[in-house]
Amino acid sequence: MKFLFDLLPVLLFFAAYKFAGGSPDASYALATRLLGDGIVASQAPILIATAVAIVATLGQVLWLIARGRKVDTMLWISLAIIVVFGGATLFFHDATFIKWKPTVLYWLFALTLAGSALFMKRNLIRALMQEQVQLPEPVWSRLNASWIAFFAFMGILNLYVAYSYSEDTWVSFKLYGGMGLMFLFVLGQGAMLSRHIEEKNS
């Protein structure tokens, strides 16, 4: 359920883009009504999808606060980035900003993990997982490094797809490619760790 909750803005972004693209006249009229004149008809789907993603992410935060639950740091960061880059896309009517949003988020995660390890001597992956499993120190270091490399790679890959293929392909990649690669990476990590994991209570 948490995975689906975290994925909700991406799913709604994808659905809104596809729905708007399938109804060009209605989506153009809606985008013009919401954002004013000066919009090219072909921009309407990405602008509507961006607005939906901003509202969805803000809704997640407000829903958690209303229920008295903690808002994860990752969600706060995601909200800040979608508001800044998504807001710039809506204000300037330019999809470039929203296309950079995943890359900025990926690279921010990579820099946070790397900076914490280099300057604070703290392995954030270990801090997140050590309550569930115990691993030898070298394995924790490799695990942290692999996540840094993965996030850095995903940031580059997002820009490659965004600038080498159509907007529609990028939107599909954002859902299927991004989530699919994340799933495969986590499976690979699990396979690697299965040789080393020692249950904490064993």
Side-chain angles (χ1 to χ4, degrees):
M1 289 300 294
K2 186 179 185 305
F3 175 75
L4 291 176
F5 180 78
D6 292 341
L7 191 59
L8 183 62
V10 177
L11 291 171
L12 292 178
F13 178 88
F14 176 83
Y17 181 86
K18 295 298 182 180
F19 182 79
S23 306
D25 293 336
S27 63
Y28 177 64
L30 176 60
T32 301
R33 188 159 57 248
L34 293 176
L35 302 173
D37 296 328
I39 297 173
V40 178
S42 61
Q43 296 175 321
I46 195 68
L47 294 176
I48 291 172
T50 298
V52 167
I54 293 172
V55 172
T57 307
L58 180 61
Q60 286 179 311
V61 172
L62 294 177
W63 186 82
L64 290 171
I65 291 174
R67 292 176 61 89
R69 298 174 61 180
K70 180 182 177 182
V71 180
D72 293 340
T73 302
M74 184 181 297
L75 183 54
W76 281 118
I77 294 173
S78 183
L79 175 62
I81 292 176
I82 189 64
V83 167
V84 172
F85 285 83
T89 285
L90 298 181
F91 183 80
F92 294 107
H93 303 165
D94 187 346
T96 300
F97 298 99
I98 196 63
K99 288 180 179 179
W100 268 85
K101 182 261 179 183
T103 290
V104 171
L105 190 61
Y106 286 133
W107 285 353
L108 182 59
F109 289 155
L111 287 173
T112 299
L113 292 175
S116 180
L118 288 173
F119 302 113
M120 300 175 63
K121 306 303 180 184
R122 185 171 183 231
N123 187 322
L124 293 182
I125 297 297
R126 178 176 184 171
L128 289 171
M129 297 179 60
Q130 64 184 355
E131 292 298 320
Q132 287 74 43
V133 296
Q134 290 182 330
L135 297 169
E137 188 59 37
V139 177
W140 282 121
S141 296
R142 288 200 301 271
L143 188 63
N144 195 62
S146 66
W147 276 102
I148 293 170
F150 176 74
F151 284 134
F153 166 76
M154 288 299 294
I156 295 170
L157 182 61
N158 174 71
L159 292 180
Y160 171 75
V161 174
Y163 287 99
S164 300
Y165 298 92
S166 68
E167 184 178 276
D168 185 76
T169 298
W170 174 76
V171 171
S172 296
F173 169 79
K174 194 173 178 325
L175 176 63
Y176 299 117
M179 294 301 103
L181 289 171
M182 177 71 75
F183 180 71
L184 291 175
F185 178 75
V186 171
L187 283 181
Q189 291 288 291
M192 180 190 74
L193 295 179
S194 63
R195 297 174 299 169
H196 303 284
I197 290 178
E198 301 170 2
E199 295 298 336
K200 193 167 186 178
N201 296 325
S202 62

